[in-house]
Amino acid sequence: MQPDPRQPRHIPRRYPPAPLQVYLFATCLVDLFVPQAGLDAVRLLEREGLLVHYPRGQSCCGQPAYSSGNPEQARAVARAQLDLFAQPWPVIVPSGSCAGMMRHHWPQLFQDDPVAGPRAVELAERVYELSEFLVCVLQLDLAGMAASAQADESVVLHTSCGARREMGTRGHGVALVDALPGVTRIEHQRESECCGFGGTFSLKHPDISGAMVSDKIASACATGCDRLVSADCGCLLNIGHAARHQGAPLPVEHLASFLWRRTGGAA
């Protein structure tokens, strides 16, 4: 059976040696709403001896327009990013959905463009979701780090739909959280389900979205966990705001910030 070309491919399949320099594509949500997550991602990478470059012209990956059926607008947004990552360094993205857009859908957007097409393909091969990069390229040894002086915590892990199904990164997040001293990860009944955000889905179908996030919050709270951890800011904003609106005891934290905090910050 021939592979379906419409299905995303998890590339690169062979991970390179750890680099000396990387780019960070912070995403528009990190930039506008959760800057601490971006700063902590940089700190994690720098602590491993990497020089992190942050191109100032970066903005959005184009996913909102793309998922709303506006490929021309998505192309315009993506095209503005293509020249920002000229050096052959990995591009680290602290969001599975945005990483999936860049890795899988940018090449499709430009497949008929003889100039931008090859650039999009080459760039896609260098895109990594943050937890994937930490585990598979840097082979980060969290167990060998000094334990945090903070109290023990139990957490539930939320992996976004894009991170889980396009990037295949749930296992990377699990490995990182499970390696942390003093942290217990609890699985819950609705862990694999969408939180209801879905970018513009939550705007077009607010009642359905609200019911989905309520189910997610109730399932997570039923575990008695201390917090919910995720590597996707869209999901964090949706779950966190809904939990506060409901008065539910479910603090949320980005995976980068959680890892930084639980490993004591600076080495």
Side-chain angles (χ1 to χ4, degrees), residues 167-253:
M167 297 297 288
T169 62
R170 177 184 180 270
H172 304 132
V174 166
L176 291 168
V177 172
D178 285 354
L180 288 167
V183 173
T184 300
R185 180 180 56 85
I186 307 173
E187 295 189 12
H188 63 98
Q189 184 179 4
R190 297 184 181 274
E191 181 177 334
S192 64
E193 296 180 9
C194 175
C195 74
F197 176 58
T200 56
F201 173 84
S202 59
L203 300 177
K204 296 177 179 178
H205 305 284
D207 293 340
I208 299 174
S209 174
M212 294 169 72
V213 74
S214 292
D215 286 346
K216 174 76 71 170
I217 291 168
S219 179
C221 288
T223 68
C225 67
D226 294 308
R227 70 183 61 246
L228 179 143
V229 175
S230 178
D232 281 76
C233 288
C235 300
L236 283 175
L237 291 170
N238 188 44
I239 297 170
H241 287 165
R244 287 194 292 275
H245 180 73
Q246 296 175 18
L250 189 64
V252 301
E253 190 170 14

Side-chain angles (χ1 to χ4, degrees), residues 38-94:
L39 293 172
D40 289 333
V42 171
R43 293 184 177 111
L44 288 170
L45 297 169
E46 289 181 336
R47 188 169 63 185
E48 297 305 302
L50 303 183
L51 180 61
V52 181
H53 299 266
Y54 182 84
R56 297 294 296 273
Q58 63 180 276
S59 58
C60 177
C61 67
Q63 185 182 106
Y66 185 77
S67 62
S68 297
N70 298 301
E72 287 302 325
Q73 289 85 343
R75 254 189 296 274
V77 174
R79 192 185 303 274
Q81 322 298 316
L82 287 179
D83 290 332
L84 300 178
F85 308 96
Q87 297 299 322
W89 304 324
V91 180
I92 314 304
V93 188

